[in-house]
Amino acid sequence: MNIQKVNFINTEGQQLVGRLELPINQHPHNFVIFAHCFTCNKNLSAVKNISRELTANGFGVLRFDFTGLGESEGNFENTNFSGNVEDLISASNYLEENYIAPSLLIGHSLGGAAVIFAASKIKSVKAVATIGAPSNPKHVQHLIQSSVKEINTTGKANVNIGGRPFTIKKQFLDDIETKSLPDVAQNLRKALLVMHSPQDTTVGIENAEDIYVAARHPKSFVTLDGADHLLLKKEDSVYAGSVIATWAKRYISIPIIDTLKTTHQAVASLDKEDGFTTQMTVGNHTMMADEPTSYGGNDFGPSPYEFVSAGLSACTAMTVQMYVKRKGWDLQNIEVHTSHTKVSKQVIENNESKEIKVDTFNRVIKLTGALDDKQIQRILQIADKCPVHKTLHNDIEVVTTIF
């Protein structure tokens, strides 16, 4: 995983803390902002699982703590729903200034309501996905119903939400009373995906219906049948992330990478601005080569020598299995671990000792099966006869032409 800690400032001058999760094998084609549920934080397991499904599909995901929660600065009791929306806009500004403006917003529970409001104010957003969202922000009042009277009378109250104490002020209740989610959804004019569980006992399924009916097309609904409100079961959050990633690709722009064509066995293409990240077509397969970050690369793919090591490993495994199958030996599995390095070696040249660097492939073979010592020794001999091994020991010519 490629996860970076990021910080940005909200409209009140407070530092908000988040995690920017990036794909491990490419630059993100689009960026996403994830809004967590009421009184939750960016590290909820469902948030992480959904984010990782998105990064696996090439998205970059910013998940952060709203003001006064998690690692972010500020006092939660002085926040309100409007402040959450402003935090999302601040997060969008951060991405636009440092990466690319977000094209997708995802919100869980009250965060789902917040992303609909924020999307109406963020021009770059093309699609919005909600998970277990209430159809109106004031729905959260039922979480603090026993304290509403005290809040309205004294101006604030200490409440227990999810086993944790929070102070809620009257200004929070006053703020959510002014927010009409159906009105905003009706005028959103951006692709909307509503996800909800029929078994959600915190935010009833009727809320999903209200949002869906109010919104204009293009809109979609996907049931999270069997899931709880927080998507505590990993399979539920992984499923949600996978569906969102697939659905969103219909409404956002993803650069098309032309498949390299060649009459040769392999072709590599590298643009000036791409550093070491090299597009490749090998046989009928597309892949990427790169250098590790320690060498100035992005580590989006194997290095050239790792490809050579991979070829030796694969050829060794294939050659040995082909041999033992013909012999009828019991080799259930073979693993071939190979690494390339350069080893210093002293040689005599013109009667003088000289140090040279010798390319060395360290190959370790693991055999699983009922094999006796004689069979194992023969397998080691066969390993040295694999075509790639023999090629590396032969005199090699590389004929290069320009066209």
Side-chain angles (χ1 to χ4, degrees), residues 143-280:
L143 296 174
I144 55 175
Q145 195 61 49
S146 62
S147 302
V148 170
K149 184 176 180 180
E150 180 183 352
I151 295 171
N152 285 323
T153 301
T154 66
K156 65 178 181 179
N158 293 319
V159 299
N160 188 291
I161 302 174
R164 294 180 296 161
F166 293 93
T167 299
I168 303 293
K169 288 186 175 181
K170 187 174 184 297
Q171 57 94 18
F172 183 92
L173 299 183
D174 293 341
D175 180 63
I176 58 178
E177 282 287 346
T178 66
K179 301 296 182 291
S180 175
L181 185 59
D183 290 344
V184 177
Q186 184 177 27
N187 296 296
L188 186 61
R189 300 187 185 280
K190 299 184 181 186
L192 176 65
L193 171 63
V194 179
M195 306 186 81
H196 215 112
S197 168
Q199 293 81 26
D200 191 333
T201 58
T202 302
V203 179
I205 188 67
E206 65 276 4
N207 287 269
E209 181 180 4
D210 292 342
I211 296 172
Y212 185 86
V213 170
R216 296 176 182 268
H217 286 293
K219 57 183 177 179
S220 306
F221 172 78
V222 173
T223 183
L224 296 174
D225 191 35
D228 61 275
H229 181 66
L230 294 179
L231 305 186
L232 293 177
K233 291 190 295 184
K234 183 177 180 180
E235 56 265 34
D236 292 330
S237 53
V238 168
Y239 171 73
S242 177
V243 170
I244 293 171
T246 302
W247 167 84
K249 290 178 182 178
R250 192 172 184 87
Y251 303 104
I252 61 178
S253 297
I254 298 179
I256 298 175
I257 300 175
D258 293 331
T259 301
L260 297 170
K261 305 294 184 182
T262 182
T263 57
H264 292 263
Q265 294 172 346
V267 57
S269 175
L270 178 59
D271 290 336
K272 178 180 179 180
E273 64 272 14
D274 287 339
F276 294 116
T277 304
T278 305
Q279 304 296 326
M280 298 185 67

Side-chain angles (χ1 to χ4, degrees), residues 60-129:
V61 183
L62 173 59
R63 46 185 172 89
F64 71 97
D65 294 323
F66 282 126
T67 301
L69 293 169
E71 298 178 87
S72 291
E73 293 181 344
N75 193 330
F76 177 78
E77 67 180 77
N78 294 325
T79 65
N80 54 30
F81 179 77
S82 295
N84 289 348
V85 175
E86 290 300 321
D87 285 352
L88 285 166
I89 296 173
S90 296
S92 174
N93 292 337
Y94 169 81
L95 285 179
E96 184 173 11
E97 292 167 6
N98 295 277
Y99 298 91
I100 302 173
S103 57
L104 172 63
L105 300 184
I106 303 172
H108 182 201
S109 193
L110 188 62
V115 295
I116 291 178
F117 274 83
S120 67
K121 300 180 180 182
I122 303 175
K123 185 177 180 181
S124 63
V125 171
K126 306 299 181 186
V128 180

Side-chain angles (χ1 to χ4, degrees), residues 320 323-324 327-331 367 369-382:
V320 169
Y323 179 82
V324 300
K327 289 290 187 179
W329 297 351
D330 182 26
L331 177 60
L367 305 173
L371 301 166
D372 59 33
D373 290 342
K374 186 177 180 180
Q375 290 171 330
I376 291 173
Q377 290 304 311
R378 182 55 179 161
I379 286 173
L380 291 176
Q381 293 173 355
I382 295 301

Side-chain angles (χ1 to χ4, degrees), residues 344-382:
S344 297
K345 183 178 180 180
Q346 293 295 131
V347 298
I348 303 299
E349 191 174 290
N350 298 326
N351 295 322
E352 292 183 3
S353 178
K354 180 182 179 181
E355 184 180 276
I356 63 172
K357 296 287 187 180
V358 179
D359 286 290
T360 303
F361 289 89
N362 294 306
R363 181 173 55 183
V364 179
I365 300 175
K366 178 183 178 183
L367 305 173
T368 302
L371 301 166
D372 59 33
D373 290 342
K374 186 177 180 180
Q375 290 171 330
I376 291 173
Q377 290 304 311
R378 182 55 179 161
I379 286 173
L380 291 176
Q381 293 173 355
I382 295 301

Side-chain angles (χ1 to χ4, degrees), residues 317-336:
M318 293 175 186
T319 302
V320 169
Q321 277 289 16
M322 183 172 61
Y323 179 82
V324 300
K325 284 179 182 177
R326 190 167 65 246
K327 289 290 187 179
W329 297 351
D330 182 26
L331 177 60
Q332 298 297 320
N333 178 264
I334 176 172
E335 290 183 9
V336 184

